[in-house]
Every structure is written in structure tokens, then in C-alpha cells.
Amino acid sequence: MRRLLVLGAGTAGTMIVNKLRRRLPPTEWEITVVDRDDEHRYQPGYLFLPFGTYSQEQVVRKRHAFIPDGVELVLGEVERVAADDNTVHLEDGRTLSYDYLVIATGTTPRPDQTPGMLGEQWRRSVFDFYTFEGARALGDALPAFDHGRLVVHITEMPIKCPVAPLEFVFLADSWLRKRGVRDRVELVYVTPLSEAFTQPIAAQHLGAMLEERKILLEPDFMIERVDNDRKSIVSYDEREIPFDLLVTIPLNMGADFVQRSGLGDELNYVPVDKGTLQSTAHDNVFALGDASNIPASKAGSVAHFSVEVFVDNFLELIEGKPMTGAFDGHANCFVESGDGKGLLIDFNYDTQPLTGRYPLPVVGPLGLLKETRANHLGKLAFRWVYWNVLLPGRPLPLPALMSMAGKVAPADTPPKTAAKE
């Protein structure tokens, strides 16, 4: 028996075991997936929890319900990977062997990495929404906030879903207006980037939306600490931004076992070939989803599209053939803009988000970089698609590689930025 071991039963890991279990003979292949617990959380839903759009029950289900027959789900914390020995050691002393390893353990907010972030104001006036617990706590606190300075802040890139902080500030603007208190609240968007987003055309568009909504943009802000006494965030160049309510996106990092195993970079992301997702250090190790260092958005769509390429490549690899597929960094993301509308962006390593129609030219039905009701409904509908199509590994009629069909590229398209997402 040959052994495939997948670390992480999140989006990428669950899709991989579902797709490969159908295509690898069960008499020849043993497939095991490891995760710390039996709760699978729909992370895009965290954005909606603070505003009461989703309930807690709508974003959490049991992991084992999505693991197919013939795949063993092991619950436990990974202590380290001994890549030279093809073994994984769990914290409880168990050892798992493999012939091929996929690391799909994602990325995690690390407020402990910023001085003062976990101080006395944590979950009192300083909140995050990138965790289930944080989104719930913010949902409890937000209704009591009806005046003052609400600051939405990004610590550093890359982060999961780089558009989510913008979505939050747009939804906050809409939510406050509906409550009739928007004129009593100053909204501030603080980013380490020089613009509202990483891509020039999208940054221009999204920056204009901030201005239109009278949301102050504070760019190039590299946080050094949170001052709990003064209720402010302070940058390395000593700029200070006061807040009454701070919604922060802490530094995102890969799993600690990646660092302990000597497999990661300074943020615990696994260096891989950006086309094949194969480790640059070990030929039988791959990293998918948010766990790798590829220069693409850490988003569910990237996990989905890259898994499609990986599966075909993996089947070629185990037959002794060259891997012919190359992932192009394809990502598409709905961007909630408030008032029942949203945008859609579609891009890859080399092409930034453009205007146009998606997925079909003229017909669409979705507009690119355009606020529409259809995009908002698409965002909401994606939760059903996630639970019922993506996780079970069923085919979705969208190309894994980005297409220029329906996109409008201006003659003076600015070059894609090198900024991390």
C-alpha cells in the first residue's frame, strides 16, 4: 500500500481527499487526513457574524461529515514533520508514515506577535473577526457602539482574503447608516499598503469607494504596538491613530509545526514551486491552500483552483510522468460593499483585476469591479456551494486557470504590483 498523508482538513485538504479517493485505487492507496478537531468552519462567514447576517450554526459543521469513506480522519495536533524520514509526529506521541505528504494547515491570526494587541483592551475595545471566537465577540460588542472612532486595521500582508477588511468597513458604513448613527461615527481604514488594495486598477476603484463613503484612508502604516492606555495604534515612525473601537487583522502566520520541522519561511509558509505547489526542498511534499508561500491571495478560490491543478499533476507524478499542469495563481473574490450590493474581482499571478463580465462575455451574469445586486447574491449563495459542491470535491463549471474572456483590458493597464497579498 502506498500512503498519502494530508495535514489539515480545511478547504484544500478536504477537497484533495475527496477528489483523490475517487481516483486512487483503494486496494493500492491508503489516504489519511489529520486535523486538531472535528469542527469545520466556513471562514468567509466570519465577516457576516458581527452584523447578524449569519448565525453561528450556519458557519460550523462536523469535519467527518465531509471526509469520504475510505479516508481515515485522525484528530490530533501535529508536533513536527520529519521529512527526511517520511514521518509525521503528533503531540500525543503517535507517528504517521507517508509516501507523499500534503501540508494544507492554512494560516492563523497571531495577535501575540504585536506588542500590546493582547493587552487589557483585547475583546473589550480591540477585536478581530478572522477567528470564530473573535467574530462572535465583535458581534456582541458592535450593537453597543453608536458613536466615536471605529478603526479597521491590517497589521501586515499577506492575510487570508485580502479584501475582507475592506468588506468589513463597507458593511460597517452601511450598518451604521441603517441604524441612523453614521454621522456620529468616524470610520478609518488603516493599511500597510500605499493604496487601498494590492492591485492598481482595483485599488483605484476601491479607494474611490472609501472616499465616496467618507471613510478615511491611512496608508503606509506599519504598526509597532497597541497602546492600551491611550487606546491607539502606533507605527514604527511614531504615527499614532486613536480609536474607540479597533477591528484589527493581526499578523497572519502558518502553523508552528512548519517552523519546528524546518519546512517554512519566516512566516511559517512552505516554499513551493508556484506552478506545481511542490516543495522546493522535498519532492514528495506539497503545500496547498494558505499554507504555501505562492504569491497569490490566501483565499478559498485559490485553494479550489490550485487543487484542481494539483490532482491531475499528482496522478501524473505517481505514474512516473512529468507534471504538466501549472497553476497560474487564479483567484476570484466577491467584495461586499454594503446596501445589498457587491463587486467581483478575478485575477492571477500576471493579470490584475479588470472590468468586464464573468464568467461569460456580455452575458455574465456577474459584473467585474462593478457594484451589483447579483454579486451580493452570489456571495451569499457561495455558502451553499461551499458545503455542497466544493468540499465534497464535486465539479464546478469554472475553469481552474484564469480566462481573459469577458474582461476589458485598457491600453494603459498599470503593471501588476509586486506587493504581497
Side-chain angles (χ1 to χ4, degrees):
M1 293 286 283
R2 301 169 82 181
R3 293 160 298 183
L4 170 64
L5 179 59
V6 179
L7 303 182
T11 306
T14 303
M15 290 178 64
I16 287 168
V17 299
N18 272 294
K19 288 179 177 292
L20 284 178
R21 183 69 289 174
R22 296 187 189 107
R23 300 181 69 177
L24 295 175
T27 55
E28 299 175 18
W29 280 89
E30 176 185 287
I31 303 177
T32 303
V33 60
V34 180
D35 213 304
R36 64 176 56 146
D37 58 38
D38 194 28
E39 285 198 343
H40 188 114
R41 293 170 176 173
Y42 176 61
Q43 295 185 53
Y46 294 173
L47 172 70
F48 295 109
L49 284 178
F51 301 103
T53 309
Y54 284 170
S55 67
Q56 298 175 28
E57 293 73 25
Q58 288 176 304
V59 299
V60 182
R61 296 193 182 180
K62 292 299 182 183
R63 289 192 199 278
H64 70 259
F66 299 95
I67 304 301
D69 292 341
V71 172
E72 182 182 5
L73 172 62
V74 172
L75 299 181
E77 290 277 3
V78 177
E79 195 277 322
R80 66 185 175 91
V81 175
D84 292 336
D85 298 329
N86 293 343
T87 56
V88 170
H89 300 271
L90 303 186
E91 287 186 355
D92 61 12
R94 286 178 290 175
T95 299
L96 305 172
S97 300
Y98 63 83
D99 294 296
Y100 292 93
L101 176 70
V102 176
I103 299 173
T105 42
T107 185
T108 305
R110 294 291 298 272
D112 59 301
Q113 297 294 304
T114 300
M117 193 170 282
L118 288 176
E120 63 184 22
Q121 295 297 331
W122 182 247
R123 303 273 165 87
R124 293 174 63 190
S125 61
V126 177
F127 294 87
D128 71 312
F129 70 93
Y130 269 50
T131 62
F132 182 64
E133 296 77 16
R136 287 192 304 172
L138 183 55
D140 291 337
L142 204 54
F145 184 78
D146 60 5
H147 69 280
R149 203 167 210 247
L150 196 167
V151 175
V152 179
H153 159 258
I154 302 169
T155 297
E156 179 58 290
M157 294 293 189
I159 58 173
K160 282 190 281 195
C161 192
V163 298
L166 283 162
E167 292 182 283
F168 185 91
V169 79
F170 291 146
L171 288 176
D173 168 73
S174 174
W175 186 77
L176 290 165
R177 277 190 284 104
K178 288 175 182 174
R179 294 178 64 211
V181 296
R182 178 63 179 89
D183 59 343
R184 300 169 59 190
V185 175
E186 184 180 14
L187 275 175
V188 186
Y189 186 74
V190 184
T191 173
L193 302 173
S194 58
E195 299 178 280
F197 192 56
T198 56
Q199 313 295 334
I201 291 178
Q204 229 174 30
H205 194 95
L206 294 164
M209 290 171 61
L210 291 173
E211 188 174 352
E212 178 184 281
R213 289 161 171 78
K214 295 182 172 56
I215 299 169
L216 178 65
L217 174 64
E218 286 278 1
D220 300 309
F221 190 93
M222 301 299 298
I223 188 171
E224 188 271 326
R225 69 187 187 276
V226 176
D227 189 323
N228 284 263
D229 294 331
R230 294 171 61 86
K231 290 183 69 172
S232 66
I233 53 176
V234 184
S235 67
Y236 280 99
D237 60 7
E238 292 302 314
R239 277 190 291 161
E240 190 169 352
I241 297 177
F243 61 82
D244 293 294
L245 180 65
L246 175 66
V247 178
T248 187
I249 292 81
L251 181 71
N252 280 208
M253 295 180 67
D256 285 342
F257 79 81
V258 172
Q259 186 273 329
R260 291 194 294 267
S261 307
L263 294 174
D265 60 17
E266 68 279 2
L267 291 176
N268 300 345
Y269 299 126
V270 181
V272 297
D273 179 282
K274 70 176 186 178
T276 63
L277 297 314
Q278 186 178 39
S279 164
T280 55
H282 302 276
D283 290 345
N284 64 338
V285 176
F286 293 80
L288 273 85
D290 296 346
S292 81
N293 74 334
I294 61 172
S297 293
K298 292 188 179 300
S301 61
V302 172
H304 165 219
F305 296 133
S306 62
V307 164
E308 299 286 349
V309 175
F310 162 76
V311 166
D312 289 337
N313 274 350
F314 185 76
L315 295 173
E316 292 175 331
L317 177 68
I318 62 176
E319 291 179 5
K321 300 175 182 177
M323 293 183 288
T324 57
F327 180 56
D328 64 351
H330 186 199
N332 56 29
C333 305
F334 289 107
V335 184
E336 281 289 291
S337 58
D339 301 321
K341 294 183 179 180
L343 300 86
L344 178 65
I345 55 176
D346 189 69
F347 57 105
N348 67 6
Y349 290 142
D350 302 314
T351 304
Q352 62 175 301
L354 301 170
T355 58
R357 306 291 292 173
Y358 184 87
L360 300 173
V362 184
V363 178
L366 303 172
L368 294 170
L369 274 178
K370 182 179 180 181
E371 290 185 79
T372 68
R373 175 74 173 167
N375 286 333
H376 166 70
L377 295 175
K379 175 96 171 184
L380 297 183
F382 183 72
R383 180 168 56 89
W384 185 92
V385 173
Y386 182 84
W387 292 126
N388 295 281
V389 181
L390 282 188
L391 282 190
R394 299 189 176 104
L396 194 65
L398 293 174
L401 302 183
M402 198 200 80
S403 168
M404 284 299 293
K407 295 181 174 65
V408 179
D412 57 345
T413 300
K416 179 158 178 171
T417 179
K420 288 183 179 179
E421 294 172 27

